[in-house]
Amino acid sequence: MAAEVINGKEIVRSIREEIKQEVEELSARGTTPGLVVIIVGDDQASHVYVNNKEKACAQVGIQSHVHRLPADTTQEELVKLIHEYNRNPEFHGILVQSPLPGHINEEQVVDEITPEKDVDCFHPVNVGNLMIGKEGMLPCTPAGVMEVLKKIGVSPAGKHAVVVGRSNIVGKPMAMLLLREHATVTICHSRTPNLQDITRQADILVPAVGKAGVIEDRHVKPGAVVIDVGMNRNAEGKLCGDVDFDAVKEIAGYITPVPGCVGPMTITMLLKNTLSSARRASNTGTEAGV
C-alpha cells in the first residue's frame, strides 16, 4: 500500500495563518515583529531564498528589511552593521544569509548576533539551550520537521527515529528535538557502515545529507514516516530530495514531497521565531538585545 504523501502546502498555510493572527494581536498592542536579512554578494540562489523570506514576512504581517551588501564588504563592516541591528528596537530577528564570501568568517559573524535576535538558532548560546532543553529559539528546519510530525498526528515518543546526517544546522539539532520528545534516536553519517541495516529500524526516518536519491526503498522500514530534508537537483536539473521518492512511497507510511514541504516549513519557523522574539521583547518592556 502506497504511502500518504504529506500535504506540506496545507500545513504551511495553516501555521502561517496562526502566525498572522498572532502578529496582528501583538501589533495591536504596539509591537510589530521585525526581521532583517543581511545578504553579502551576488549568489543567485541566496537572492531567491531571501526573496521568498521577504514574501513570507509580508504574508503574515511581519515587517521585513533586506540589507544588501557588495561582495567586497569586509568582516569588520558586516559586524558593525550587525551591532547596529542588535541595538535597533524595530527588528526582533537578524539573519545573515549563507553562504558568505570566502574572506568572511561565518562562525565569527554569527557569534556577533545577540542570542535574543538569532532567529536561525546558530548562536552558541541558543545551541547550548537546545542541548539542555531550555526554552528559547529553535533551529528552523528541525523545528519545521517536528511541526510536520505534530500536524500528521505522529508522536515521536517511544519510537525509533533515525537521522541521516550530522550537520550543525540540521542533523545534530534534529536529533536533540526528537530526543526531547522521547524518541530513541540514532544518528547515521558518511562513516556509518551498513546504513540500510540501521535505517530499516526507523519508525521515523529523517534524511538530511544533501545527496539526491541516497535513500532507496531498501533503506526504509514498511510503514515508516519519512521526512525528507534534502534539497538537491537531479540529472535533469529538477529539484529533489535525498529520498528516491517514487520507490520509497511504495514502502513508507508517510512521506514528504520535495519541493513543497520541509523547505517552506523552514521559512515558516523563521517567521515563528521572529514572532516569539518580538513577544518576549514586548512582555519584558524592552527590545531584545538592548
Side-chain angles (χ1 to χ4, degrees):
M1 186 174 180
E4 179 176 337
V5 179
I6 296 170
N7 190 338
K9 292 181 179 179
E10 177 58 28
I11 293 174
V12 167
R13 186 205 62 76
S14 65
I15 295 176
R16 290 191 185 181
E17 184 59 36
E18 294 170 5
I19 293 172
K20 181 179 180 181
Q21 293 176 4
E22 293 182 37
V23 167
E24 290 174 351
E25 293 170 2
L26 189 59
S27 297
R29 299 200 302 269
T31 301
T32 298
L35 171 69
V36 61
V37 180
I38 302 171
I39 183 168
V40 184
D42 299 314
D43 182 84
Q44 292 305 305
S46 292
H47 282 279
V48 171
Y49 296 147
V50 168
N51 289 339
N52 289 340
K53 291 167 184 173
E54 196 172 19
K55 291 176 183 176
C57 284
Q59 185 182 45
V60 301
I62 289 176
Q63 173 190 350
S64 68
H65 174 62
V66 178
H67 199 126
R68 294 178 171 85
L69 296 171
D72 60 357
T73 298
T74 67
Q75 180 154 330
E76 291 74 19
E77 290 170 333
L78 178 55
V79 167
K80 181 181 178 182
L81 181 64
I82 289 171
H83 289 174
E84 291 174 1
Y85 282 115
N86 281 341
R87 295 188 297 267
N88 190 328
E90 293 186 6
F91 295 99
H92 307 90
I94 302 171
L95 184 153
V96 178
Q97 182 65 41
S98 298
L100 291 170
H103 66 279
I104 296 178
N105 186 311
E106 190 164 336
E107 182 177 335
Q108 291 179 8
V109 166
V110 168
D111 288 354
E112 297 297 331
I113 301 173
T114 188
E116 293 83 1
K117 294 190 178 187
D118 168 39
V119 287
D120 260 337
C121 193
F122 291 166
H123 193 284
V125 168
N126 288 329
V127 174
N129 286 338
L130 171 65
M131 180 66 67
I132 64 176
K134 188 175 180 180
E135 288 300 317
M137 296 288 188
L138 296 178
C140 297
T141 298
V145 172
M146 299 306 291
E147 285 290 339
V148 170
L149 292 174
K150 185 186 299 183
K151 289 292 185 180
I152 64 173
V154 172
S155 170
K159 295 183 175 63
H160 186 186
V162 175
V163 179
V164 187
R166 52 178 169 176
S167 73
N168 291 331
I169 296 174
V170 179
K172 292 176 184 176
M174 186 75 258
M176 289 301 100
L177 288 182
L178 286 162
L179 188 63
R180 182 186 289 191
E181 294 300 320
H182 313 297
T184 298
V185 183
T186 301
I187 302 177
C188 298
H189 47 79
S190 59
R191 302 291 181 89
T192 301
N194 303 317
L195 178 65
Q196 73 181 60
D197 292 344
I198 299 175
T199 58
R200 280 184 62 86
Q201 300 175 35
D203 302 303
I204 300 170
L205 179 61
V206 186
V209 295
K211 185 176 180 181
V214 69
I215 299 298
E216 303 171 346
D217 52 357
R218 63 189 175 91
H219 293 96
V220 179
K221 174 182 177 179
V225 179
V226 181
I227 309 291
D228 192 350
V229 175
M231 182 63 73
N232 318 286
R233 290 193 181 275
N234 61 18
E236 291 76 41
K238 294 182 179 179
L239 287 173
C240 64
D242 289 349
V243 175
D244 182 343
F245 182 85
D246 289 336
V248 171
K249 75 177 181 180
E250 301 301 322
I251 301 293
Y254 288 93
I255 189 170
T256 57
V258 176
C261 189
V262 173
M265 277 300 298
T266 297
I267 295 178
T268 301
M269 293 301 102
L270 174 68
L271 304 177
K272 190 170 184 177
N273 278 348
T274 303
L275 169 62
S276 297
S277 178
R279 186 184 293 114
R280 284 193 295 272
S282 175
N283 288 340
T284 60
T286 61
E287 293 301 334
V290 177

